[in-house]
Amino acid sequence: MIIALLPVSLMFLFANDLTQPTFLLKGITHFLIIWLISNTLAAVIGSSMGLLIKNKFSYLSSLIVYGFFVWVSSNIPIKPINKYLNIFDDNTYIVSNNLSGIIFNTDYFLDKLFIILIIFSFIFIVRIFLVPKKKIINSLILSILIVSIFSLPIWSNSNYQTVTFPTNQSMKNISYEIQEYNMNLELNNKLKNKATLKIGFLENSKDIVLALDNIFSVKNLKISNSPTSFTHNNNLINIPSTHKKGDVITLTIDYEGTVNMNNNIGFNTYYVAESAINLPGSVFDWYPNLRNQSSIDFEVTVNSSAKIYSNISSLSSEEEHLVGTANSLNIFAGQYQQAEVDGIQYIIPNSFTVNGFKSDLESIIKSMLGNKNFPEDDLLVLKDKKYKRVIVGIWPFGVSSSPVQIIGDTILVYYNQ
């Protein structure tokens, strides 16, 4: 443990001045947890093999068993079991997400608990052979440990969140539009939202279809304050409700869910935690929407312990009250720095320099201006710098081939460390 003080001291000494103390302490805590668990596992494996084999082959056996864990840890954590067997950092062999830092959530603690259960399993295997008088009780405890070891990955796999790619196929021939959003949003270790939508009907309609990711559980849904039936499948809410052309209704949805979605290589992509948030509403259905709709009026009250950034401006520095017009709502929080240059607000990772980022962004924009596949209006915004805000965020490669998204007067830039 004393040896661990050296790297911890170096972390404090060479920490980025922009790094918030919360993120630094979480990083150090994460390092100490990995240090203790990996070294304890090595010590238990070595002593267990020595006590059971009691000859020179115990050294070789110890190396083989511990080597298995090292080998598994060198693989990309595509599935939960890969993460559980990794005794080091899950991001050892992939680019880590420095925007979010370490997120201490249920998945994190279960991941560490898995190795702790393996450590105790080795201990009770030894006790079965060396303490024959308590063989029954030790066998019972070992059985419980083994069942727990197998149960954790099964449970995690059933609750593992992978990124889904929105499709507009089921949102065609929509005969209504969302005119206004009013949200009371809570973003801590869970996302909880009470969203009130003002919907206007352009034609007669027999139902309402809204996009909302399946990771969320809808607790309550009302039309004009009256509860109504609905189904929620395939990331779509279907509401059987007949309305005539010209009707305007108020629809209220209460829903919640844990957001911890990974891409195909285990990189955390969409997440909500106490200190880090990545909710790009332009590509992720984290609130009920019609996908690719034109500008809508938003009024959103956000309750979060983290300092949030959004494409919609806040009316107050103390209370996060977002009011504005846009075609999507995008909210971010984490290890960001904020700078204003030539009237443009840059919200970029702490690890970036403003001048370096500006130079990279100019190169990206220059390459886009020569590409005729982009909408002319978007190219005009980039060419004439008709944007007020630039925010770095994360989304899957398959959602957009462009590293830049234009949301009204805001540019979202893909995080590329």
Tab-separated table of all heavy atoms in Angstrom, residues 233-271:
chain	number	residue	atom	x	y	z
A	233	ASN	N	-42.355	-0.158	-27.287
A	233	ASN	CA	-41.531	-1.223	-27.860
A	233	ASN	C	-40.681	-0.665	-28.985
A	233	ASN	O	-41.066	0.301	-29.649
A	233	ASN	CB	-42.413	-2.363	-28.415
A	233	ASN	CG	-43.274	-2.992	-27.337
A	233	ASN	OD1	-42.766	-3.504	-26.350
A	233	ASN	ND2	-44.587	-2.946	-27.521
A	234	ASN	N	-39.512	-1.319	-29.192
A	234	ASN	CA	-38.630	-0.936	-30.308
A	234	ASN	C	-38.311	0.556	-30.304
A	234	ASN	O	-38.287	1.207	-31.351
A	234	ASN	CB	-39.258	-1.330	-31.650
A	234	ASN	CG	-39.501	-2.820	-31.752
A	234	ASN	OD1	-38.672	-3.632	-31.337
A	234	ASN	ND2	-40.661	-3.195	-32.287
A	235	ASN	N	-38.121	1.114	-29.095
A	235	ASN	CA	-37.755	2.522	-28.921
A	235	ASN	C	-38.849	3.472	-29.399
A	235	ASN	O	-38.570	4.631	-29.726
A	235	ASN	CB	-36.441	2.843	-29.639
A	235	ASN	CG	-35.299	1.976	-29.167
A	235	ASN	OD1	-35.145	1.741	-27.965
A	235	ASN	ND2	-34.504	1.473	-30.093
A	236	LEU	N	-40.083	2.996	-29.440
A	236	LEU	CA	-41.208	3.829	-29.867
A	236	LEU	C	-42.361	3.705	-28.878
A	236	LEU	O	-42.689	2.612	-28.420
A	236	LEU	CB	-41.696	3.427	-31.260
A	236	LEU	CG	-40.740	3.634	-32.438
A	236	LEU	CD1	-41.340	3.038	-33.703
A	236	LEU	CD2	-40.422	5.102	-32.643
A	237	ILE	N	-42.985	4.839	-28.569
A	237	ILE	CA	-44.214	4.861	-27.780
A	237	ILE	C	-45.383	4.992	-28.754
A	237	ILE	O	-45.432	5.937	-29.549
A	237	ILE	CB	-44.224	6.035	-26.784
A	237	ILE	CG1	-43.082	5.906	-25.782
A	237	ILE	CG2	-45.551	6.101	-26.049
A	237	ILE	CD1	-42.979	7.094	-24.837
A	238	ASN	N	-46.306	4.047	-28.704
A	238	ASN	CA	-47.497	4.081	-29.548
A	238	ASN	C	-48.716	4.358	-28.675
A	238	ASN	O	-48.995	3.623	-27.728
A	238	ASN	CB	-47.671	2.745	-30.278
A	238	ASN	CG	-46.656	2.558	-31.376
A	238	ASN	OD1	-46.867	2.987	-32.510
A	238	ASN	ND2	-45.533	1.924	-31.047
A	239	ILE	N	-49.444	5.430	-29.025
A	239	ILE	CA	-50.606	5.848	-28.245
A	239	ILE	C	-51.835	5.854	-29.155
A	239	ILE	O	-51.925	6.698	-30.063
A	239	ILE	CB	-50.400	7.265	-27.656
A	239	ILE	CG1	-49.055	7.351	-26.918
A	239	ILE	CG2	-51.551	7.651	-26.744
A	239	ILE	CD1	-48.595	8.762	-26.655
A	240	PRO	N	-52.764	4.921	-28.970
A	240	PRO	CA	-53.999	4.963	-29.766
A	240	PRO	C	-54.886	6.117	-29.312
A	240	PRO	O	-55.433	6.102	-28.201
A	240	PRO	CB	-54.641	3.605	-29.472
A	240	PRO	CG	-54.095	3.194	-28.150
A	240	PRO	CD	-52.732	3.788	-28.040
A	241	SER	N	-55.002	7.131	-30.146
A	241	SER	CA	-55.752	8.328	-29.763
A	241	SER	C	-56.183	9.057	-31.026
A	241	SER	O	-55.346	9.452	-31.833
A	241	SER	CB	-54.882	9.231	-28.885
A	241	SER	OG	-55.592	10.351	-28.444
A	242	THR	N	-57.477	9.227	-31.209
A	242	THR	CA	-58.023	9.832	-32.426
A	242	THR	C	-58.140	11.344	-32.279
A	242	THR	O	-58.668	11.846	-31.278
A	242	THR	CB	-59.412	9.238	-32.741
A	242	THR	OG1	-59.291	7.818	-32.889
A	242	THR	CG2	-59.976	9.830	-34.024
A	243	HIS	N	-57.646	12.058	-33.305
A	243	HIS	CA	-57.701	13.517	-33.301
A	243	HIS	C	-57.952	14.031	-34.706
A	243	HIS	O	-57.606	13.380	-35.695
A	243	HIS	CB	-56.393	14.102	-32.754
A	243	HIS	CG	-56.102	13.686	-31.352
A	243	HIS	ND1	-56.680	14.275	-30.257
A	243	HIS	CD2	-55.300	12.696	-30.860
A	243	HIS	CE1	-56.255	13.692	-29.148
A	243	HIS	NE2	-55.411	12.728	-29.493
A	244	LYS	N	-58.560	15.216	-34.784
A	244	LYS	CA	-58.886	15.812	-36.072
A	244	LYS	C	-57.871	16.881	-36.446
A	244	LYS	O	-57.152	17.410	-35.591
A	244	LYS	CB	-60.287	16.430	-36.018
A	244	LYS	CG	-61.410	15.428	-35.809
A	244	LYS	CD	-62.757	16.122	-35.773
A	244	LYS	CE	-63.890	15.120	-35.561
A	244	LYS	NZ	-65.209	15.800	-35.518
A	245	LYS	N	-57.839	17.169	-37.723
A	245	LYS	CA	-56.964	18.231	-38.221
A	245	LYS	C	-57.281	19.536	-37.502
A	245	LYS	O	-58.439	19.920	-37.341
A	245	LYS	CB	-57.166	18.396	-39.726
A	245	LYS	CG	-56.333	19.505	-40.351
A	245	LYS	CD	-56.594	19.617	-41.839
A	245	LYS	CE	-55.773	20.748	-42.453
A	245	LYS	NZ	-56.020	20.877	-43.916
A	246	GLY	N	-56.216	20.214	-37.028
A	246	GLY	CA	-56.384	21.473	-36.310
A	246	GLY	C	-56.430	21.321	-34.806
A	246	GLY	O	-56.302	22.316	-34.074
A	247	ASP	N	-56.607	20.077	-34.313
A	247	ASP	CA	-56.610	19.861	-32.863
A	247	ASP	C	-55.232	20.161	-32.277
A	247	ASP	O	-54.199	19.914	-32.904
A	247	ASP	CB	-56.976	18.415	-32.526
A	247	ASP	CG	-58.463	18.132	-32.688
A	247	ASP	OD1	-59.214	19.094	-32.943
A	247	ASP	OD2	-58.852	16.959	-32.565
A	248	VAL	N	-55.222	20.673	-31.053
A	248	VAL	CA	-53.986	20.889	-30.290
A	248	VAL	C	-54.182	20.265	-28.917
A	248	VAL	O	-55.147	20.585	-28.219
A	248	VAL	CB	-53.640	22.383	-30.164
A	248	VAL	CG1	-52.383	22.562	-29.310
A	248	VAL	CG2	-53.438	23.020	-31.534
A	249	ILE	N	-53.297	19.352	-28.547
A	249	ILE	CA	-53.435	18.654	-27.268
A	249	ILE	C	-52.184	18.841	-26.414
A	249	ILE	O	-51.119	19.228	-26.907
A	249	ILE	CB	-53.684	17.140	-27.470
A	249	ILE	CG1	-52.449	16.484	-28.114
A	249	ILE	CG2	-54.933	16.897	-28.301
A	249	ILE	CD1	-52.458	14.967	-28.043
A	250	THR	N	-52.338	18.533	-25.133
A	250	THR	CA	-51.213	18.516	-24.202
A	250	THR	C	-50.987	17.082	-23.744
A	250	THR	O	-51.890	16.436	-23.222
A	250	THR	CB	-51.488	19.410	-22.981
A	250	THR	OG1	-51.680	20.757	-23.421
A	250	THR	CG2	-50.302	19.374	-22.022
A	251	LEU	N	-49.790	16.588	-23.968
A	251	LEU	CA	-49.438	15.216	-23.600
A	251	LEU	C	-48.328	15.255	-22.556
A	251	LEU	O	-47.301	15.909	-22.762
A	251	LEU	CB	-48.994	14.448	-24.843
A	251	LEU	CG	-48.759	12.934	-24.703
A	251	LEU	CD1	-49.076	12.227	-26.019
A	251	LEU	CD2	-47.307	12.634	-24.316
A	252	THR	N	-48.537	14.572	-21.448
A	252	THR	CA	-47.563	14.559	-20.346
A	252	THR	C	-47.028	13.147	-20.145
A	252	THR	O	-47.807	12.198	-20.051
A	252	THR	CB	-48.194	15.070	-19.044
A	252	THR	OG1	-48.730	16.376	-19.260
A	252	THR	CG2	-47.161	15.130	-17.931
A	253	ILE	N	-45.705	13.021	-20.093
A	253	ILE	CA	-45.064	11.718	-19.907
A	253	ILE	C	-44.102	11.786	-18.729
A	253	ILE	O	-43.221	12.658	-18.689
A	253	ILE	CB	-44.291	11.285	-21.163
A	253	ILE	CG1	-45.196	11.288	-22.396
A	253	ILE	CG2	-43.691	9.896	-20.972
A	253	ILE	CD1	-44.471	10.928	-23.676
A	254	ASP	N	-44.289	10.897	-17.768
A	254	ASP	CA	-43.335	10.731	-16.673
A	254	ASP	C	-42.537	9.455	-16.941
A	254	ASP	O	-43.133	8.380	-17.086
A	254	ASP	CB	-44.057	10.586	-15.332
A	254	ASP	CG	-44.590	11.909	-14.826
A	254	ASP	OD1	-43.780	12.695	-14.321
A	254	ASP	OD2	-45.803	12.147	-14.953
A	255	TYR	N	-41.224	9.573	-16.992
A	255	TYR	CA	-40.417	8.383	-17.244
A	255	TYR	C	-39.066	8.527	-16.554
A	255	TYR	O	-38.663	9.634	-16.156
A	255	TYR	CB	-40.225	8.155	-18.756
A	255	TYR	CG	-39.439	9.232	-19.463
A	255	TYR	CD1	-38.066	9.102	-19.679
A	255	TYR	CD2	-40.057	10.399	-19.923
A	255	TYR	CE1	-37.340	10.089	-20.325
A	255	TYR	CE2	-39.341	11.387	-20.567
A	255	TYR	CZ	-37.986	11.229	-20.768
A	255	TYR	OH	-37.264	12.223	-21.409
A	256	GLU	N	-38.369	7.402	-16.421
A	256	GLU	CA	-37.045	7.423	-15.793
A	256	GLU	C	-36.231	6.235	-16.268
A	256	GLU	O	-36.768	5.271	-16.842
A	256	GLU	CB	-37.164	7.415	-14.278
A	256	GLU	CG	-37.810	6.163	-13.712
A	256	GLU	CD	-37.912	6.201	-12.196
A	256	GLU	OE1	-38.450	7.185	-11.647
A	256	GLU	OE2	-37.438	5.217	-11.574
A	257	GLY	N	-34.939	6.297	-16.021
A	257	GLY	CA	-34.076	5.191	-16.397
A	257	GLY	C	-32.615	5.499	-16.112
A	257	GLY	O	-32.209	6.661	-16.009
A	258	THR	N	-31.837	4.438	-15.955
A	258	THR	CA	-30.391	4.569	-15.797
A	258	THR	C	-29.766	4.613	-17.182
A	258	THR	O	-30.062	3.775	-18.028
A	258	THR	CB	-29.815	3.380	-15.012
A	258	THR	OG1	-30.440	3.342	-13.718
A	258	THR	CG2	-28.309	3.511	-14.841
A	259	VAL	N	-28.911	5.597	-17.413
A	259	VAL	CA	-28.270	5.752	-18.726
A	259	VAL	C	-26.787	5.444	-18.595
A	259	VAL	O	-26.029	6.196	-17.969
A	259	VAL	CB	-28.457	7.178	-19.291
A	259	VAL	CG1	-27.870	7.278	-20.700
A	259	VAL	CG2	-29.929	7.569	-19.298
A	260	ASN	N	-26.374	4.316	-19.162
A	260	ASN	CA	-24.963	3.919	-19.151
A	260	ASN	C	-24.725	3.043	-20.381
A	260	ASN	O	-24.480	1.844	-20.279
A	260	ASN	CB	-24.629	3.166	-17.859
A	260	ASN	CG	-23.158	2.821	-17.761
A	260	ASN	OD1	-22.300	3.569	-18.238
A	260	ASN	ND2	-22.852	1.690	-17.156
A	261	MET	N	-24.792	3.664	-21.548
A	261	MET	CA	-24.769	2.931	-22.815
A	261	MET	C	-23.364	2.910	-23.409
A	261	MET	O	-22.669	3.939	-23.443
A	261	MET	CB	-25.742	3.555	-23.810
A	261	MET	CG	-27.174	3.609	-23.310
A	261	MET	SD	-28.356	4.160	-24.548
A	261	MET	CE	-28.570	2.656	-25.495
A	262	ASN	N	-22.972	1.723	-23.891
A	262	ASN	CA	-21.641	1.534	-24.465
A	262	ASN	C	-21.746	1.236	-25.956
A	262	ASN	O	-22.756	0.707	-26.433
A	262	ASN	CB	-20.928	0.374	-23.773
A	262	ASN	CG	-20.768	0.620	-22.289
A	262	ASN	OD1	-19.930	1.391	-21.859
A	262	ASN	ND2	-21.593	-0.038	-21.493
A	263	ASN	N	-20.667	1.557	-26.674
A	263	ASN	CA	-20.648	1.203	-28.092
A	263	ASN	C	-20.136	-0.233	-28.254
A	263	ASN	O	-20.002	-0.977	-27.279
A	263	ASN	CB	-19.816	2.203	-28.906
A	263	ASN	CG	-18.335	2.177	-28.542
A	263	ASN	OD1	-17.877	1.330	-27.776
A	263	ASN	ND2	-17.581	3.097	-29.080
A	264	ASN	N	-19.826	-0.634	-29.481
A	264	ASN	CA	-19.488	-2.036	-29.747
A	264	ASN	C	-18.136	-2.470	-29.199
A	264	ASN	O	-17.819	-3.661	-29.212
A	264	ASN	CB	-19.544	-2.314	-31.255
A	264	ASN	CG	-18.568	-1.445	-32.033
A	264	ASN	OD1	-18.117	-0.420	-31.552
A	264	ASN	ND2	-18.255	-1.862	-33.237
A	265	ILE	N	-17.321	-1.541	-28.703
A	265	ILE	CA	-16.039	-1.929	-28.098
A	265	ILE	C	-15.988	-1.583	-26.609
A	265	ILE	O	-14.932	-1.557	-25.996
A	265	ILE	CB	-14.834	-1.290	-28.828
A	265	ILE	CG1	-14.894	0.245	-28.763
A	265	ILE	CG2	-14.748	-1.776	-30.256
A	265	ILE	CD1	-13.616	0.914	-29.248
A	266	GLY	N	-17.155	-1.298	-26.019
A	266	GLY	CA	-17.215	-1.061	-24.581
A	266	GLY	C	-16.912	0.356	-24.154
A	266	GLY	O	-16.729	0.627	-22.969
A	267	PHE	N	-16.887	1.305	-25.098
A	267	PHE	CA	-16.621	2.710	-24.779
A	267	PHE	C	-17.920	3.352	-24.318
A	267	PHE	O	-18.936	3.296	-25.022
A	267	PHE	CB	-16.082	3.422	-26.028
A	267	PHE	CG	-15.695	4.855	-25.811
A	267	PHE	CD1	-14.416	5.178	-25.397
A	267	PHE	CD2	-16.598	5.882	-26.036
A	267	PHE	CE1	-14.047	6.503	-25.221
A	267	PHE	CE2	-16.237	7.203	-25.866
A	267	PHE	CZ	-14.959	7.519	-25.449
A	268	ASN	N	-17.898	3.971	-23.102
A	268	ASN	CA	-19.136	4.571	-22.612
A	268	ASN	C	-19.501	5.786	-23.463
A	268	ASN	O	-18.740	6.738	-23.592
A	268	ASN	CB	-19.048	4.928	-21.130
A	268	ASN	CG	-17.882	5.815	-20.781
A	268	ASN	OD1	-16.842	5.759	-21.405
A	268	ASN	ND2	-18.058	6.644	-19.777
A	269	THR	N	-20.686	5.727	-24.052
A	269	THR	CA	-21.081	6.690	-25.078
A	269	THR	C	-22.172	7.642	-24.597
A	269	THR	O	-22.034	8.857	-24.710
A	269	THR	CB	-21.552	5.934	-26.335
A	269	THR	OG1	-20.508	5.036	-26.745
A	269	THR	CG2	-21.848	6.889	-27.483
A	270	TYR	N	-23.274	7.079	-24.118
A	270	TYR	CA	-24.327	7.905	-23.507
A	270	TYR	C	-24.356	7.575	-22.024
A	270	TYR	O	-24.383	6.404	-21.647
A	270	TYR	CB	-25.701	7.598	-24.118
A	270	TYR	CG	-25.779	7.719	-25.625
A	270	TYR	CD1	-26.560	6.836	-26.371
A	270	TYR	CD2	-25.088	8.719	-26.301
A	270	TYR	CE1	-26.648	6.945	-27.752
A	270	TYR	CE2	-25.159	8.829	-27.679
A	270	TYR	CZ	-25.937	7.933	-28.404
A	270	TYR	OH	-26.020	8.036	-29.768
A	271	TYR	N	-24.380	8.601	-21.178
A	271	TYR	CA	-24.340	8.340	-19.740
A	271	TYR	C	-24.916	9.508	-18.963
A	271	TYR	O	-24.925	10.662	-19.417
A	271	TYR	CB	-22.892	8.074	-19.280
A	271	TYR	CG	-21.871	9.051	-19.829
A	271	TYR	CD1	-21.625	10.270	-19.207
A	271	TYR	CD2	-21.168	8.762	-20.993
A	271	TYR	CE1	-20.693	11.170	-19.717
A	271	TYR	CE2	-20.238	9.650	-21.514
A	271	TYR	CZ	-20.007	10.852	-20.873
A	271	TYR	OH	-19.099	11.745	-21.402
